[in-house]
Amino acid sequence: MKFKYPIFVFIFSLTGLSAVFSQELPSSKSAAQRKSYIETLSSPNPWVDSVFNKLNKRQKIAQLFFVRAHTDMGKVFEDSIANVVKKERIGGLVFFQGGPGRQAILTNRYQALARVPLLITSDGEWGLGMRLDSTISYPYQMALGAVQDKELIYRMGLEVAKDYKRIGMHMNLAPDVDVNNNPKNPVINYRSFGENKYNVTAKASAYMKGMQDGGLLVSLKHFPGHGDTDVDSHYDLPKLPFSKERLDSLEIYPFRELIKEGAAGVMIAHMNIPALDNTPNMPSTLSKPIVTGILKEELGFKGIIISDAMGMKGVVKYFKDGEADVMGIIAGNDILELSENSARAIKLVRKAVREGRIPMERIDESVKKILTAKYWAGLNGKDTINENNVYAEVNRPESKVLLQQLADASMTLLRGKQYLKTLTAQKRTAIISIGTPQVTTFQQDLGKFYKNSVFYTLDKTANANAIAKVLKEMGNFDQVIIGIHDTRTRPGNGIVLSADLKMFIKDMADKNAVFALFANPYNLAALPGLENSKVLVVAYQKEDFMQRAASSVIKNQLTTSGKLPVTVNTFFKYGDGE
């Protein structure tokens, strides 16, 4: 491979400014010229060695702990985290709710207090908007599982990397590579690319490569696979009763393949898996046979291993008072995020080292990985964030264009390709929104095209009387278009609609109504009759960009290409889509 400016690039990498240079590179080809994090780990690194050699045992242990940060919890909380950064000398922060401008300012403050630069992370499965206000939320991974153009998902990864780096973050705790093969899963579900391991792997690969080519560290989650459970590990310890052969061929498959493709990080789930470790009530996070035996030795993973949040009931229910932190390090985790008490944990790990439970070499291995991650992210040079124009620069016009392109590409037509062509702008049209009392973007957008239309809304609790008033007028219309809206913050299962509304949906499906579902596709199972509808578009979630995309389909301005990423029932199966 020939570099356009070989000497220039070489000088920048020597001076530790490679991260600054890579921010200016617009194309994936240019970004790919830079060493990956995994490649960097195996290269001599004077900066890493220099920092490592200045740390005493306690300071090394502290590098393994990442604590929670917010910009929406007030000055007292912010000051308390500043105190932790200064006194405990932890390795990094995991940012949660707040705003992008405030986070940039606070990150500058925290970095100024840190002796060793902090690695800043956040959960951003759908971008900054997963945690921060006034930022872009890309489609949930369930919708992306329907998208057939992987290049769009790769570009999303590049955009997310730009957003993260703009506000001083270095690692995204994403993508979610769980294979959601349990429709009742309460915690993964719409966060997964779907039920097919090959589809999950392909889409996660595109997202991962976009982020990494954009200079962002990633973390595949939740190893060895959280897709087939009906228990949320935030509240209890899920148990996976499957054989090692089943886990190896299905749940672990995306991890194995993406590790081969150079994933920088892997997050461990809190799950009890007797086939992999038969210790009673042992969470995978604390299991040496799983973290070291399978992930590091069997799969050959050399990157950063991150625990899921260490305060979750799935890990501390059976291992209390800081014992989980000690066991997490023994198991082979490099980063323990969100310990219940980081100061206590550091003391307990020091004690475990003195007592011979944890060899110092185990700590040193993790510290070098973390310092190398900091080097790769550009933290070997000064990393002050520009605090001006943050909002505009994480809400770029090109990002918004891509957002709509992704929504358009996810549209999945399960019924009615030919019937759609019979809809015309001149006919009298009723446009109904179910599940919300307000007129929706979907209605407004359709109304501009179907000029001879009337809007109706039926809230999620609408009773027979309210529905009868709408039904009474349906004879006046030639066309009926219905949007079914899940207005909850997150589009899980169990869409809330009254029994009368469900009966109305069934009746209208028998009367040639056109439907768009702005909800998790699993909800189709709770809406009998839609299998008989003349037109059914799955639009996956409630956001305006999805409503605009579905409207374009029904106006015959957008040809659908999405394929259903999960099987709902015998009527709606994985891969369906006209």
Side-chain angles (χ1 to χ4, degrees):
M1 182 187 294
K2 290 186 177 180
F3 292 91
K4 190 175 178 184
Y5 303 110
I7 297 174
F8 187 57
V9 173
F10 184 63
I11 290 169
F12 264 69
S13 62
L14 275 179
T15 57
L17 293 171
S18 57
V20 176
F21 183 59
S22 70
Q23 280 184 312
E24 303 303 317
L25 297 174
S27 72
S28 58
K29 183 179 178 183
S30 300
Q33 293 171 356
R34 177 186 180 209
K35 271 187 182 180
S36 71
Y37 169 68
I38 298 295
E39 291 168 334
T40 304
L41 278 170
S42 59
S43 305
N45 195 312
W47 183 83
V48 170
D49 292 341
S50 171
V51 176
F52 178 84
N53 290 331
K54 289 173 186 169
L55 299 175
N56 62 32
K57 286 184 180 179
R58 190 213 162 278
Q59 291 161 355
K60 287 178 181 177
I61 292 166
Q63 283 294 302
L64 278 59
F65 289 89
F66 284 43
V67 304
R68 174 185 289 264
H70 282 255
T71 59
D72 69 341
M73 292 181 67
K75 190 171 187 305
V76 171
F77 181 86
E78 292 172 8
D79 289 348
S80 71
I81 301 305
N83 196 46
V84 170
V85 169
K86 189 174 180 180
K87 291 192 173 179
E88 294 180 25
R89 297 176 68 170
I90 52 168
L93 298 171
V94 184
F95 267 97
F96 284 80
Q97 282 72 23
R102 287 170 283 157
Q103 185 169 317
I105 293 166
L106 197 56
T107 298
N108 278 338
R109 178 189 174 194
Y110 291 154
Q111 292 287 22
L113 292 170
R115 303 266 190 97
V116 177
L118 298 159
L119 194 72
I120 309 294
T121 72
S122 175
D123 287 293
E125 294 163 29
W126 46 92
L128 287 182
M130 182 166 172
R131 296 297 186 205
L132 301 183
D133 60 40
S134 61
T135 56
I136 290 176
S137 287
Y138 288 95
Y140 299 127
Q141 289 186 188
M142 181 70 77
L144 298 179
V147 173
Q148 300 305 297
D149 183 357
K150 290 182 290 186
E151 177 65 20
L152 287 173
I153 300 172
Y154 174 82
R155 284 169 50 201
M156 170 182 149
L158 288 174
E159 291 300 301
V160 170
K162 287 179 191 173
D163 291 340
Y164 263 63
K165 291 168 70 176
R166 176 61 187 87
I167 63 171
M169 289 199 285
H170 316 107
M171 179 179 234
N172 189 358
L173 302 177
D176 188 312
V177 304
D178 297 312
V179 180
N180 202 81
N181 44 10
N182 186 336
K184 296 179 181 178
N185 195 318
V187 64
I188 304 303
N189 203 294
Y190 64 89
R191 296 166 60 193
S192 166
F193 289 108
E195 71 177 32
N196 180 281
K197 65 181 182 182
Y198 302 111
N199 187 44
V200 168
T201 303
K203 305 300 167 55
S205 173
Y207 188 20
M208 175 188 87
K209 287 176 179 173
M211 288 190 282
Q212 291 191 160
D213 284 354
L216 193 63
L217 295 156
V218 305
S219 172
L220 312 178
K221 61 188 185 187
H222 305 79
F223 185 84
H226 211 312
D228 196 351
T229 173
D230 57 5
V231 173
D232 185 342
S233 53
H234 288 86
Y235 307 111
D236 206 343
L237 179 63
K239 184 172 184 176
L240 265 63
F242 311 117
S243 69
K244 186 176 189 305
E245 292 72 26
R246 145 70 195 260
L247 293 161
D248 199 51
S249 65
L250 182 58
E251 276 80 6
I252 293 176
Y253 178 85
F255 294 96
R256 181 188 299 111
E257 296 304 309
L258 296 172
I259 285 167
K260 290 177 190 173
E261 294 182 18
V266 170
M267 179 184 286
I268 312 294
H270 305 312
M271 294 186 299
N272 180 239
I273 313 172
L276 305 184
D277 186 338
N278 61 11
T279 308
N281 301 317
M282 177 62 74
S284 40
T285 344
L286 311 186
S287 168
K288 190 170 182 180
I290 293 174
V291 180
T292 295
I294 295 176
L295 181 56
K296 294 170 83 168
E297 294 173 359
E298 273 190 39
L299 301 187
F301 182 60
K302 303 202 181 316
I304 288 192
I305 300 173
I306 306 152
S307 75
D308 207 343
M310 292 298 289
M312 290 164 62
K313 292 291 185 266
V315 70
V316 298
K317 181 177 180 178
Y318 299 104
F319 300 90
K320 300 180 185 299
D321 302 322
E323 176 62 11
D325 297 303
V326 174
M327 291 179 63
I329 291 174
I330 293 171
N333 291 280
D334 301 306
I335 292 171
L336 296 186
E337 59 153 346
L338 314 184
S339 166
E340 287 184 307
N341 184 326
S342 55
R344 177 185 67 184
I346 292 166
K347 286 179 185 174
L348 289 172
V349 173
R350 287 181 74 191
K351 182 183 176 189
V353 171
R354 286 195 302 270
E355 293 174 349
R357 284 185 73 194
I358 303 177
M360 199 60 208
E361 292 77 15
R362 167 77 274 285
I363 305 289
D364 290 349
E365 175 194 4
S366 292
V367 174
K368 286 181 178 177
K369 282 193 204 175
I370 293 164
L371 291 176
T372 303
K374 293 179 179 184
Y375 172 85
W376 189 85
L379 284 166
N380 54 315
K382 192 166 179 60
D383 192 41
T384 303
I385 307 155
N386 180 355
E387 297 174 2
N388 299 314
N389 302 316
V390 174
Y391 171 82
E393 290 174 24
V394 295
N395 286 278
R396 299 177 300 281
E398 61 268 28
S399 300
K400 294 176 182 177
V401 169
L402 176 61
L403 175 62
Q404 193 60 56
Q405 289 174 327
L406 286 161
D408 291 351
S410 74
M411 290 298 105
T412 305
L413 183 61
L414 296 181
R415 296 282 186 277
K417 190 171 187 177
Q418 294 306 315
Y419 190 83
L420 265 179
K421 295 174 184 176
T422 69
L423 301 180
T424 60
Q426 293 73 34
K427 287 181 181 177
R428 293 170 300 169
T429 307
I431 307 174
I432 306 169
S433 280
I434 291 175
T436 174
Q438 286 91 27
V439 170
T440 61
T441 297
F442 179 62
Q443 288 173 297
Q444 291 170 340
D445 213 40
L446 286 171
K448 293 171 187 172
F449 180 81
Y450 294 103
K451 302 284 189 184
N452 192 8
S453 63
V454 178
F455 300 159
Y456 299 91
T457 61
L458 290 166
D459 200 6
K460 59 190 176 185
T461 57
N463 59 23
N465 290 336
I467 293 166
K469 290 177 184 176
V470 174
L471 273 174
K472 187 178 178 182
E473 298 190 28
M474 287 301 100
N476 299 325
F477 297 99
D478 305 310
Q479 301 172 150
V480 178
I481 301 169
I482 300 175
I484 303 171
H485 300 259
D486 185 351
T487 57
R488 294 174 297 174
T489 305
R490 300 283 182 257
N493 295 355
I495 185 172
V496 179
L497 295 175
S498 69
D500 291 329
L501 275 174
K502 290 181 179 180
M503 183 60 69
F504 174 69
I505 289 168
K506 186 177 186 299
D507 290 345
M508 295 309 295
D510 291 333
K511 294 176 182 173
N512 299 342
V514 170
F515 289 90
L517 180 74
F518 301 100
N520 182 321
Y522 287 126
N523 286 291
L524 288 168
L527 299 172
L530 284 178
E531 67 274 8
N532 300 320
S533 58
K534 282 289 190 283
V535 175
L536 177 58
V537 181
V538 175
Y540 297 96
Q541 53 192 85
K542 66 183 173 67
E543 281 69 24
D544 285 350
F545 51 82
M546 288 296 191
Q547 295 190 45
R548 286 191 291 268
S551 169
S552 294
V553 172
I554 292 169
K555 291 184 290 187
N556 284 295
Q557 294 171 352
L558 173 66
T559 301
T560 57
S561 58
K563 302 295 181 186
L564 200 62
V566 292
T567 293
V568 176
N569 53 26
T570 55
F571 302 111
F572 307 116
K573 296 180 180 178
Y574 171 82
D576 284 356
E578 297 183 4

